[in-house]
Amino acid sequence: MIRVVQSFAVTRERQLSYSNQLEQEVSRTAAVRKELERSNRELQDFAFVASHDLQEPLRKIRSYGDRIKTRLSENLDPISEQDLGRMLNAAERMQGLINDILALSRVSSKPQAFVPTNLNTVLDEVLDDLEIKMQQSRAIVKREPLPTIEADPVQMRQLFQNLLGNALKFIRPDSSAELSVLNMPTTLPGTIGIAFGDNGIGFDDKHAEKIFTVFQRLNTRSEYEGSGVGLAICRRIVERHGGQIEAKGVVGQGAIFTVVLPKVHRKA
Ligand SMILES: Nc1ncnc2c1ncn2[C@@H]1O[C@H](COP(=O)(O)OP(=O)(O)OP(=O)(O)O)[C@@H](O)[C@H]1O
Ligand SMILES: [Mg+2]
């Protein structure tokens, strides 16, 4: 009897100790999460302020550069003219990069409310905007009716625009572009899935995660234009919506980007 009581006491003591440990672990995780959220916010604010404040001096460099070019155009020797041209091109590229960083930080700093958003309308509008590029690459689009979900419609447009813009950019010169926007079954209840496919140059699957990082590009600027911010914006938009985005590629055959998004959002 005594032994039973003793063993019960030991078990009970162990249970209490486990539960204390668990509580400590939970509160430590909550503290780490809070700290991460804070430093994330700080980093985003920094990116926004830095890129915003860089615009003014850069505007001056470009406008004074333009003035010098106009004023001296007749008298500049060829080498100086070339140098000035390069300087102005670099300043223009920098302006583009700053605009991209601002667009990235605005995903979280200037969000609109989630409202019922018909993804067919989003797709129609984006395809309309991309019409010229579609004609140039003789693109055909295979599409399925998409659902209506609670989302930020402006950001959904940005998401579709970046993914379809990439599909039309990274095409193979020897074949016409085939794009697809299809429904995809998901394992998570309450979510929808969309797969954006193309038959373009594709990429080595080992880069599938890296390409979502800011300024990460797998090709040179002379081959394909761009600064490598589009997919970082896509990931930030999808994460803000509580979803997931992933990429799969096969070199020389094409790429598929899958997006999973919740249908509705709990009210804050
Ligand atoms: N559909 C695709 N097919 C093949 N490679 C792709 C595709 N989409 C993205 N990539 C690769 O991922 C990189 C990152 O894409 P991302 O959209 O972020 O940048 P970008 O298109 O080069 O520039 P930006 O979007 O800023 O104009 C691209 O440079 C390219 O190497
Ligand atoms: Mg892009």
Side-chain angles (χ1 to χ4, degrees), residues 51-164:
S51 39
H52 189 264
D53 290 5
L54 281 174
Q55 290 201 105
E56 201 40 50
L58 187 59
R59 208 169 293 151
K60 273 205 174 129
I61 293 172
R62 292 184 67 192
S63 89
Y64 281 106
D66 279 335
R67 275 160 70 168
I68 293 175
K69 194 177 166 191
T70 320
R71 206 173 324 127
L72 298 181
S73 63
E74 311 279 277
N75 309 318
L76 269 182
D77 61 281
I79 305 262
S80 306
E81 194 182 355
Q82 204 181 47
D83 286 353
L84 190 60
R86 281 199 177 148
M87 194 186 90
L88 287 173
N89 278 348
E92 192 182 333
R93 209 165 63 243
M94 189 165 167
Q95 181 72 62
L97 293 176
I98 289 177
N99 289 346
D100 286 339
I101 299 176
L102 276 174
L104 180 65
S105 53
R106 279 194 184 114
V107 172
S108 335
S109 69
K110 295 223 166 124
Q112 302 290 310
F114 295 140
V115 292
T117 303
N118 184 336
L119 297 179
N120 295 303
T121 316
V122 172
L123 181 57
D124 287 340
E125 288 171 357
V126 170
L127 289 177
D128 207 43
D129 289 348
L130 292 171
E131 196 184 347
I132 308 274
K133 273 193 191 162
M134 302 248 301
Q135 282 167 1
Q136 282 167 353
S137 49
R138 287 171 287 123
I140 51 161
V141 183
K142 189 175 165 201
R143 58 184 283 185
E144 285 179 352
L146 300 176
T148 293
I149 59 166
E150 278 183 11
D152 176 338
V154 176
Q155 293 191 344
M156 285 299 110
R157 270 192 72 151
Q158 255 180 306
L159 174 71
F160 279 46
Q161 171 87 35
N162 276 316
L163 293 177
L164 294 169

Side-chain angles (χ1 to χ4, degrees), residues 216-237:
Q216 278 293 344
R217 314 183 65 236
L218 305 177
N219 313 282
T220 60
R221 194 155 23 94
S222 58
E223 285 176 302
Y224 298 95
E225 61 165 27
S227 44
V229 178
L231 285 180
I233 292 180
C234 289
R235 176 153 278 175
R236 197 166 281 184
I237 289 175

Side-chain angles (χ1 to χ4, degrees), residues 162 166 169-170 230-231:
N162 276 316
N166 279 349
K169 175 164 44 167
F170 300 105
L231 285 180

